[in-house]
């Protein structure tokens, strides 16, 4: 402890001096012999000792800029806080490496605490007064004011419910720099409160009777932040997404992330999205709909992100069966403490299912962990085989090592019970996420290349289709997407390119599904695969209706028949490259 204290003192001195002497006395070595020496430490030697840590800090800043698609040119200055700000070498290295000015005007040792205090001061407080207090008179006082402002005074509006005859009010600022004096109370009243600049101002409003005795009400302390400490809210550290089914023509067994709240969005937030169910859930059925809310980059693989809200809805939780193709509305709301509320609404049955999750409590399903591991195992086998075919043996070797780690995790997960409550499942989930991120990093360049080629081929066919058969809206959507190519073709994430391919295929699909020739060809191909249908009798009836629609040139009806026939295929037995999205 004494050596640590001496080192701390030496570090502080070197911020102002180029050399310091450290006197070691009153301590003993391992042989219990006293040590009494003076060590000289130069600033250059100290800077060499901390250089690796400073370099790591600079790398972290550069990584943050890269993740946010920014450069140092987008940054006005670097505001430094914390005790290490006093070290000249750190300020110099950061300024030189990033080519941006460094600002240290505020007190670096208290900046975070002051910011947190002012942020807390702007939050709404629920004040409860003991209703059994003997001197309390039941009065309701409602106050309205802005709790943050750039003005030097703020208007306070009050509303008093009850008999106000013979009552008065008085408002005093905490520092006693303002006193409204005693004024008659009325049902509605207004006061202008003068504020101290760049401070959090607190005022106390007191109700008095005709003898100037205090009358207890439900009034709370008035808090108003003025000026530069106007903190608007808590920013999200990561994207918040829902895991949804991917379009089957991209990766048949995969899922993707649908972003609800983007990183750095100010909380609280609420958003609702609609989806289409890709399967039916009957009352009492053991099959289930899974709602998985994840925290992490929306450009990552779902298995690489952290699950913060997991809900399974089976037939036992439903008041009425829901049918494949029906709508489902999913709402997420998150407060400033990052408490998550998930609401699932089924319009068909007018039923809502709601669950809440705390950030301090992880929601992880053992079965979901197992499913994710098996998906990763299948995916990595494909990636290894592709790497070998392309003679990328180094990448194949790295992926093989990850495959061994996945196999080990699968064995460990299989030993867990469904209701496991130990730390083991959290350890497995963390390891799974790291492997998923590693797979993504190893394969994203190859996927980017493959998707780029796919996009170029798709663009040619879609452009010809738009020119020959598209309407004005199709032309507009196509060329708007092409105008964004610099963003998704030169980006660092292949998932952006995937989204662009989705949009291009949507344009192509919408045109095709208006064309009688396409609808008739699709119907013929579906009929040729009739042995795969889940409900053969119903499919036979539909095929007859479809044939009648072709004879009568009722192509709107034929479109409905094609969609219904497609829904009768088992999801993983799609007979050809189907390009009509089933849904959530």
């Amino acid at each position: 402890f004494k050596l640590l204290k001496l080192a701390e003192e030496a570090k502080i001195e070197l911020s102002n001096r180029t050399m310091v002497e450290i006197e070691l006395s009153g301590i003993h070595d391992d042989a219990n012999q006293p040590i009494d020496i003076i060590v000289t430490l130069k600033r250059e030697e100290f800077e060499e000792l901390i250089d690796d840590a400073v370099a790591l800090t600079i790398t972290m800043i550069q990584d943050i800029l890269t993740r946010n698609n920014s450069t140092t040119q987008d940054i006005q200055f670097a505001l430094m806080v914390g005790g290490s700000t006093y070290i000249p070498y750190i300020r110099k290295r950061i300024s030189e490496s990033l080519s941006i000015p460094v600002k240290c005007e505020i007190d670096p040792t208290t900046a975070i605490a002051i910011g947190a205090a002012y942020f807390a001061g702007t939050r709404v407080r629920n004040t409860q007064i003991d209703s059994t207090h003997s001197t309390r008179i039941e009065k309701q006082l409602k106050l309205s004011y802005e709790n943050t402002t750039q003005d030097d005074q703020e208007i306070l509006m009050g509303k008093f419910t009850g008999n106000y005859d013979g009552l008065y009010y008085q408002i005093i600022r905490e520092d006693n720099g303002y006193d409204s004096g005693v004024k008659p109370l009325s049902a509605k009243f207004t006061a202008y409160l003068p504020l101290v600049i760049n401070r959090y101002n607190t005022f106390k409003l007191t109700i008095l009777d005709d003898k100037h005795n205090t009358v207890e009400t439900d009034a709370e302390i008035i808090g108003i932040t003025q000026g530069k400490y106007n903190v608007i809210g808590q920013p999200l550290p990561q994207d918040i997404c829902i895991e949804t089914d991917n379009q089957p023509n991209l990766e048949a067994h995969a899922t993707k992330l649908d972003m609800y709240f983007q990183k750095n969005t100010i909380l609280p937030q609420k958003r609702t999205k609609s989806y289409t169910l890709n399967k039916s859930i009957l009352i009492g059925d053991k099959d289930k709909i899974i709602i998985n809310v994840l925290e992490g980059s929306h450009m990552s693989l779902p298995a690489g992100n952290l699950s913060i809200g997991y809900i399974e809805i089976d037939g036992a939780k439903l008041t009425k069966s829901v049918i494949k193709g029906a709508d489902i509305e999913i709402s997420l709301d998150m407060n400033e403490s990052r408490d998550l509320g998930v609401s699932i609404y089924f319009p068909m049955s007018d039923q809502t299912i709601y669950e809440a999750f705390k950030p301090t409590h992880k929601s992880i399903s053992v079965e979901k962990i197992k499913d994710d591991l098996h998906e990763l195992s299948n995916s990595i086998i494909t990636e290894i085989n592709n790497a070998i075919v392309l003679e990328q043996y180094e990448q194949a070797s790295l992926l093989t090592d990850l495959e061994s780690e996945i196999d080990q995790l699968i064995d460990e997960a299989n030993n867990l019970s469904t209701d496991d409550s130990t730390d083991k499942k959290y350890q497995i989930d963390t390891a799974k996420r790291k492997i998923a991120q590693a797979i993504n990093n190893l394969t994203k360049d190859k996927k980017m290349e493959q998707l780029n080629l796919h996009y170029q081929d798709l663009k040619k066919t879609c452009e010809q289709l738009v020119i020959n058969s598209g309407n004005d809206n199709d032309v507009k959507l196509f060329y708007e997407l092409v105008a964004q190519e610099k963003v998704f073709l030169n980006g660092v994430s292949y998932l952006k390119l995937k989204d662009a391919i989705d949009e291009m295929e949507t344009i192509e699909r919408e045109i095709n599904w208006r064309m009688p020739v396409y609808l008739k060809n699709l119907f013929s191909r579906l009929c040729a695969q009739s042995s795969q249908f889940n409900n053969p009798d119903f499919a036979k009836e539909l095929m007859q209706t479809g044939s009648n629609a072709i004879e009568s040139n009722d192509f709107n009806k034929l479109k409905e028949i094609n969609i219904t026939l497609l829904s009768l295929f088992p999801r993983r037995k799609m007979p050809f490259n189907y390009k009509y999205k089933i849904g959530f």
Side-chain angles (χ1 to χ4, degrees):
F1 177 79
K2 187 170 184 179
L3 287 175
L4 184 62
K5 185 174 183 295
L6 289 171
E8 176 73 15
E9 291 174 349
K11 181 189 75 170
I12 292 172
E13 283 193 54
L14 285 172
S15 295
N16 302 304
R17 298 168 56 188
T18 58
M19 185 180 69
V20 64
E21 291 183 345
I22 307 171
E23 184 178 349
L24 301 178
S25 61
I27 57 176
H28 298 76
D29 60 17
D30 293 340
N32 204 28
Q33 296 297 314
I35 297 176
D36 190 3
I37 59 174
I38 295 176
V39 177
T40 300
L41 179 64
K42 296 180 180 180
R43 180 184 284 181
E44 292 81 0
E45 295 172 324
F46 171 68
E47 291 172 351
E48 185 178 346
L49 290 172
I50 65 171
D51 188 63
D52 289 344
V54 177
L56 179 60
T57 300
I58 294 170
T59 300
M60 290 173 64
I61 296 172
Q62 292 169 335
D63 288 344
I64 291 170
L65 291 173
T66 301
R67 287 202 303 270
N68 289 276
N69 297 319
S70 301
T71 67
T72 53
Q73 295 177 349
D74 300 315
I75 309 300
Q76 293 181 0
F77 59 85
L79 180 64
M80 300 189 67
V81 296
S84 297
T85 299
Y86 289 114
I87 300 175
Y89 181 66
I90 294 179
R91 299 197 297 265
K92 177 183 175 184
R93 278 290 309 277
I94 290 179
S95 179
E96 290 178 349
S97 300
L98 301 178
S99 299
I100 55 177
V102 168
K103 288 197 174 184
C104 313
E105 285 83 356
I106 64 172
D107 184 352
T109 59
T110 60
I112 301 299
I114 290 174
Y118 275 97
F119 175 75
T122 61
R123 302 306 94 190
V124 177
R125 295 185 299 175
N126 294 322
T127 305
Q128 295 182 345
I129 300 177
D130 186 1
S131 59
T132 62
H133 197 289
S134 59
T135 61
R136 177 177 171 83
I137 300 176
E138 290 300 329
K139 307 287 183 183
Q140 281 196 347
L141 180 63
K142 293 184 179 180
L143 302 176
S144 176
Y145 58 92
E146 293 290 336
N147 57 13
T148 58
T149 182
Q150 297 293 332
D151 298 330
D152 58 5
Q153 63 178 356
E154 178 60 32
I155 185 171
L156 171 75
M157 292 180 288
K159 183 178 180 182
F160 187 82
T161 303
N163 183 10
Y164 52 82
D165 291 340
L167 297 181
Y168 301 83
Y169 74 91
Q170 183 179 19
I171 305 174
I172 299 175
R173 200 168 66 201
E174 183 183 35
D175 63 353
N176 293 316
Y178 166 75
D179 187 335
S180 68
V182 177
K183 297 183 178 181
L185 183 65
S186 57
K188 295 181 179 180
F189 60 94
T190 302
Y192 288 90
L193 307 180
L195 306 174
V196 179
I197 303 300
N198 292 332
R199 275 193 55 184
Y200 178 66
N201 295 256
T202 57
F203 299 83
K204 184 178 181 181
L205 188 150
T206 306
I207 303 297
L208 306 168
D209 62 18
D210 55 359
K211 297 180 180 179
H212 285 201
N213 295 319
T214 300
V215 176
E216 287 193 37
T217 66
D218 49 7
E220 59 186 48
I221 295 295
I222 301 164
I224 302 173
T225 300
Q226 198 288 332
K228 66 181 181 181
Y229 295 112
N230 187 341
V231 184
I232 57 176
Q234 174 76 5
L236 269 174
Q238 295 285 352
D239 299 331
I240 303 297
C241 310
I242 278 186
E243 185 177 10
T244 66
D245 291 321
N246 207 342
Q247 290 200 35
N249 59 304
L250 290 177
E251 290 175 314
H253 302 169
T255 59
K256 65 177 183 179
L257 295 174
D258 187 17
M259 184 169 63
Y260 268 64
F261 311 134
Q262 191 170 15
K263 178 181 177 180
N264 292 327
T265 300
I266 300 300
L267 296 174
Q269 290 288 330
K270 184 174 183 179
R271 189 174 185 184
T272 300
K273 291 190 178 187
S274 295
Y275 301 91
T276 302
L277 292 173
N278 66 6
K279 57 183 164 184
S280 299
I281 305 292
L282 306 178
I283 292 181
D285 196 350
K286 291 185 178 180
D287 204 359
K288 61 188 71 170
I289 301 165
I290 294 175
I291 312 296
N292 190 25
V293 184
L294 297 156
E295 180 181 71
S297 172
H298 71 285
M299 293 299 177
S300 299
L301 294 173
N305 286 349
L306 176 65
S307 178
I308 59 173
Y310 185 84
I311 302 174
E312 294 182 349
I313 303 174
D314 57 21
K317 294 183 178 179
L318 297 176
T319 58
K320 183 180 178 181
S321 299
V322 292
I323 308 302
K324 183 177 182 177
D327 290 336
I328 176 176
E329 295 178 4
I330 302 176
S331 300
L332 302 186
D333 62 88
M334 182 172 281
N335 64 18
E336 289 173 337
S337 298
R338 291 170 60 198
D339 297 332
L340 172 68
V342 184
S343 178
I344 304 102
Y345 175 62
F346 298 92
M348 177 178 286
S349 58
D350 193 27
Q351 180 184 3
T352 299
I353 295 175
Y354 179 86
E355 288 196 31
F357 303 90
K358 294 281 188 182
T360 53
H361 177 72
K362 294 180 181 178
S363 175
I364 300 177
S365 161
V366 172
E367 292 304 315
K368 184 67 171 67
I369 292 174
K370 292 179 181 178
D371 288 343
D372 285 348
L373 286 170
H374 284 293
E375 291 290 350
L376 284 176
S377 178
N378 294 333
S379 174
I380 203 167
I381 290 172
T382 302
E383 296 294 348
I384 291 171
N385 292 335
N386 290 341
I388 292 173
V389 169
L390 297 173
E391 298 183 355
Q392 297 173 343
Y393 299 116
E394 182 179 356
Q395 185 182 62
S397 176
L398 294 172
L399 289 169
T400 301
D401 292 340
L402 292 175
E403 182 188 20
S404 300
E405 294 181 34
I406 293 173
D407 291 340
Q408 182 179 348
L409 288 178
I410 289 175
D411 291 339
E412 294 177 11
N414 287 335
N415 291 327
L416 296 176
S417 60
T418 304
D419 58 349
D420 184 274
S421 58
T422 66
D423 288 338
K424 188 62 179 178
K425 71 175 180 180
Y426 300 110
Q427 295 168 1
I428 294 174
D429 182 69
T430 300
K432 176 211 73 178
R433 287 188 281 114
K434 289 181 178 178
I435 292 174
Q437 292 164 3
I439 294 172
N440 184 62
N441 291 334
L442 282 172
T443 60
K444 62 183 180 183
D445 290 341
K446 185 195 71 177
K447 287 181 179 178
M448 195 75 180
E449 182 181 349
Q450 292 174 336
L451 287 171
N452 201 318
L453 293 173
H454 177 49
Y455 171 79
Q456 298 299 340
D457 291 340
L458 180 63
K459 177 183 173 182
K460 291 178 183 177
T461 57
C462 188
E463 185 173 24
Q464 197 62 41
L465 188 63
V466 167
I467 292 171
N468 293 335
S469 306
N471 57 30
D472 290 343
N473 186 58
D474 299 325
V475 173
K476 177 177 176 291
L477 292 174
F478 176 80
Y479 287 107
E480 282 181 351
L481 180 60
V482 171
Q484 300 173 29
E485 285 182 345
K486 287 185 178 179
V487 176
F488 53 78
L489 291 181
N490 301 323
V492 296
S493 172
Y494 71 87
L495 292 173
K496 280 189 177 180
L497 180 52
K498 249 186 176 183
D499 289 339
I501 289 173
D502 285 351
E503 291 184 42
M504 188 73 75
E505 289 180 336
T506 298
I507 296 170
E508 183 183 53
R509 180 175 65 244
E510 292 300 326
I511 297 174
N512 280 330
W513 280 69
R514 296 196 302 264
M515 299 173 62
V517 172
Y518 179 85
L519 294 173
K520 288 192 287 187
N521 288 338
L522 177 59
F523 179 73
S524 298
R525 295 167 73 186
L526 290 170
C527 292
Q529 299 288 336
S530 58
S531 61
Q532 298 291 332
F533 289 129
N534 278 329
N535 190 332
D537 293 336
F538 182 42
K540 185 176 181 180
E541 182 181 332
L542 288 171
M543 286 188 287
Q544 182 58 52
T545 305
S547 298
N548 295 337
I550 292 174
E551 290 180 8
S552 61
N553 291 325
D554 187 352
F555 296 108
N556 286 330
K557 184 65 176 179
L558 181 60
K559 179 180 177 180
E560 294 176 9
I561 296 298
N562 283 339
I563 293 173
T564 308
L565 286 173
L566 281 166
S567 71
L568 295 179
F569 275 106
R571 184 177 171 221
R572 298 192 179 188
K573 292 184 179 180
M574 198 61 66
F576 49 84
N577 188 12
Y578 160 61
K579 294 186 178 181
Y580 197 88
K581 188 175 180 181
I582 293 178
F584 181 79

